[in-house]
Amino acid sequence: MEIVDFEPRHAEAWRTLNEAWIGKYFTIEPKDREVLDDPTGKIIAKGGHVFMAEQAGEIVGCVGLIAMADGGFEVAKMTVTEAARGTGLGRMLMQTCIDKARERAAPRLYLETNSSLGPALGLYRSMGFVDLPPTDTPYARADVFMELVLG
C-alpha cells in the first residue's frame, strides 16, 4: 500500500469511499457534502491536505486534514474499504496525518467522531488522542471530540 497526495483524478474515489461509510452508519449531512464534492476547494486550497491510499492501482482509503484557525488540523473523512479493514491501513493514514502536521509545525490534530465507531476510537486512542469536552459542531452524528497535542 502506498499513501499519495490527492490529485484531481482521485475526486470520485474520495467521494465514493466516504459516501459508503457515512451512508452505512449515518446520514450524509450538508457539511459532508461540501468537502466530499470539492476537496480541492474546501480543504487543499485552504491550507489542508488530502491523502489517498492506493493498492495495486486501486484506491482503498483516504483521509483529509482541514486547516484550523489555531494552526492545527482537523482529521476528517478517514476511511478504508471493507476489504482493507484490519490491515493496518487506518494506522498508516493517521501516521501520515501526524507526520504532515508535525512537518507543518501544527500544535495539534483534532477530530470529531461517534461513540458507536469502536475500532476507530481504539485506533485514535492508541495513537495518543485524548477525549475533549463536547463542543459545537455542524455534525449531528458527532458525540466524541478528541485531540492529539503535537507541540
Side-chain angles (χ1 to χ4, degrees):
M1 280 183 253
E2 182 183 14
I3 309 294
V4 299
D5 289 328
F6 179 89
E7 297 177 12
R9 67 184 175 93
H10 295 130
E12 184 178 344
W14 163 260
R15 184 174 44 255
T16 303
L17 280 168
N18 277 292
E19 287 174 347
W21 84 262
I22 296 168
K24 181 175 180 175
Y25 299 103
F26 308 105
T27 300
I28 295 176
E29 301 179 48
K31 184 70 174 171
D32 293 314
R33 203 67 288 143
E34 283 180 27
V35 296
L36 295 184
D37 290 347
D38 185 14
T40 300
K42 298 296 182 182
I43 299 176
I44 298 168
K46 294 181 177 185
H49 305 274
V50 175
F51 300 105
M52 306 300 288
E54 289 185 336
Q55 182 177 33
E58 180 186 350
I59 300 298
V60 294
C62 59
V63 64
L65 283 176
I66 299 172
M68 298 173 63
D70 68 0
F73 290 99
E74 178 180 356
V75 178
K77 307 295 181 264
M78 186 166 85
T79 188
V80 301
T81 61
E82 293 280 345
R85 296 209 173 127
T87 64
L89 179 55
R91 183 170 296 278
M92 286 176 57
L93 285 166
M94 183 58 80
Q95 190 61 55
T96 300
C97 291
I98 292 168
D99 293 346
K100 178 56 80 171
R102 284 193 170 126
E103 175 187 307
R104 296 278 304 272
R108 70 183 183 133
L109 288 177
Y110 169 83
L111 62 84
E112 299 179 1
T113 189
N114 185 276
S115 55
S116 71
L117 301 175
L121 290 169
L123 171 66
Y124 305 148
R125 289 185 176 120
S126 77
M127 297 193 79
F129 281 81
V130 297
D131 290 274
L132 295 172
T135 189
D136 289 335
T137 176
Y139 294 104
R141 67 180 174 265
D143 65 354
V144 176
F145 307 86
M146 305 178 87
E147 77 173 351
L148 174 64
V149 175
L150 299 170

